[in-house]
Amino acid sequence: MSLYIGREALKLWKRICTETTIEINLLAENWKYILGGVIFQYIHGLGARGVHYLHRPGPTLQDVGFFLLPELGSDKAYISETVFTTIFLSFVLWTFHPFIFKTKKIYTVLIWCRVLAFLVACQFLRMVTFYSTQLPGPNYHCREGSKLATLPRPNSVFEVLLLNFPRGILYGCGDLIFSSHTIFSLVFVRVYHKYGTRRFIKKCAWYTVNLVVFFIDKKLPELPDRTSAASLLPVSKDSKTKEEDHKLLNGNGDPEDWRPRTQINGMIMEVGNAVHVEVAMNGV
């Protein structure tokens, strides 16, 4: 038993090292996209902070949801954030699963380049909409009578630039149409629906029509096929070592570890179903 555990631990460590080498190479090629996407998250935070100064509390807008679903109440407001945090962390862990599991169809760096491209486009449109149409926030701290509903004029530019972190992030008002939480959730769901392999998880996701994803997805080149992973490995004098690393990446280093990884004409066979993917290309 100890021999088996030791052998499996060694194989896992080799797989993690090989994956890390490839991801570092991809990050060196695509770091500008990652950095740009991260910086825009701060710009989006500035936009949301700025519109809070313009927010004026008013009557809560009515829709069908208010009539069908009772309010959670301020003492249960954490439920909403808990659901979002669960979705967020689950997606992040999934994007890093190639480092551990053999059933891997994606590269972590490239999937985050794609995700950040979607988020930047959606968040830009979000800022345009909530500055164009300012509605009274329905959240408890945004209603009439709350001290946080309207912000006083800032004393300095640093008060705006620092976002009053983290309080300013958690208690924003006026940044409606459309929800930032919804943007993240739908982008994560959409990306997993295309690149994930577990059919039952896809069935749990709700149906969405996202024009941003449709147009940007057509412009971005497809993620490269993992069968060509050898081209991403650093040049080595030992061709045998490179070949072993390539086999390790695809989970077929040993006969007992082999898993079918069929791809024909852009079709990647998933667990229990087939998902159509465009012809693989190198790049973002």
Side-chain angles (χ1 to χ4, degrees), residues 55-114:
H55 177 257
R56 296 295 179 268
T60 304
L61 300 178
Q62 300 296 308
D63 62 26
V64 176
F66 283 116
F67 297 110
L68 297 181
L69 300 174
E71 286 189 307
L72 294 175
S74 58
D75 58 327
K76 297 181 180 178
Y78 67 91
I79 294 179
S80 174
E81 293 300 323
T82 301
V83 172
F84 173 74
T85 302
T86 301
I87 296 174
F88 185 89
L89 293 180
S90 298
F91 182 82
V92 171
L93 291 176
W94 172 74
T95 62
F96 282 88
H97 83 276
F99 289 84
I100 305 298
F101 297 103
K102 300 170 185 176
T103 56
K104 43 193 179 294
K105 304 294 184 183
I106 63 172
Y107 295 103
T108 302
V109 170
L110 298 185
I111 206 71
W112 275 105
C113 285
R114 212 172 192 86

Side-chain angles (χ1 to χ4, degrees), residues 47-56 131 141-142 147-151 168 171-175:
R49 177 67 174 174
V51 80
H52 195 169
Y53 289 103
L54 305 176
H55 177 257
R56 296 295 179 268
Y131 272 105
H141 60 271
C142 298
K147 296 180 180 180
L148 298 175
T150 304
L151 293 181
Y171 296 98
C173 297
D175 55 336

Side-chain angles (χ1 to χ4, degrees), residues 239-284:
S239 59
K240 182 178 180 181
T241 301
K242 186 172 182 179
E243 181 180 355
E244 291 176 352
D245 289 341
H246 184 208
K247 290 181 179 180
L248 186 64
L249 282 171
N250 289 283
N252 54 4
D254 294 332
E256 64 269 19
D257 293 333
W258 184 84
R259 298 291 187 275
R261 303 167 66 82
T262 307
Q263 177 166 338
I264 303 176
N265 295 330
M267 295 292 293
I268 294 179
M269 305 304 294
E270 66 170 349
V271 178
N273 197 9
V275 176
H276 179 71
V277 182
E278 297 174 6
V279 178
M281 297 172 58
N282 288 325
V284 181

Side-chain angles (χ1 to χ4, degrees), residues 129-148:
T129 55
F130 64 57
Y131 272 105
S132 301
T133 304
Q134 297 166 21
L135 300 176
N139 214 329
Y140 303 104
H141 60 271
C142 298
R143 299 179 183 180
E144 292 181 296
S146 172
K147 296 180 180 180
L148 298 175

